[in-house]
Amino acid sequence: MKDTGEKNMNKLLLSLVLVCFTPLAAANAGMTTPAANNQNADFVAGKQAIDRKDWKAAVESLSKAEKSMPSNADLHNFLGYAYRHLDDLDNSFRHYKEALRLDPRHRGAHEYIGQAYLKAKQPEKAAEHLAELEKLCGKGCEEYKDLAKAITNYGKAK
């Protein structure tokens, strides 16, 4: 009964995968949550600074938060956003790319890195992130609409 042995081997392999990766997935799932974000005073202060458009204070607070939340995609997205408004595109791209490495489906990071690419005069790269947003949430989500509008405005300004 070769099939039975093969089935047992597949069950064993599946069990090993679940045992090894379930704790990792559970740990990663909790890294970027609104509740976790709101429990970190530096993250909250950084978000408040962004709301006030105080970009330097946002970078300062969020950089402190990064020490205790290095795997938080939201944090890296907000750092990228603040750096973009300070015209520090190198740091902006670094943080947006880290946010997308941590969470490839992070719609805000796709929108904002697209905006950064427009600022860097690279509309073709912005269009790549627009296409990714379309795959993630369709043409009706806010992030898609905002980036599409920015790309259109960029084209009109040329």
Side-chain angles (χ1 to χ4, degrees), residues 17-27:
V17 167
L18 289 174
V19 166
C20 292
F21 291 105
T22 299
L24 180 62

Side-chain angles (χ1 to χ4, degrees), residues 40-81:
N40 185 295
D42 291 319
F43 185 97
V44 171
K47 185 75 172 72
Q48 290 170 343
I50 285 173
D51 292 342
R52 294 189 313 271
K53 298 181 181 348
D54 186 348
W55 311 118
K56 287 182 182 181
V59 166
E60 184 178 312
S61 294
L62 291 168
S63 294
K64 288 178 188 174
E66 183 182 11
K67 291 175 181 146
S68 62
M69 309 171 80
S71 298
N72 186 303
D74 289 341
L75 178 129
H76 287 285
N77 183 49
F78 286 130
L79 270 167
Y81 185 81

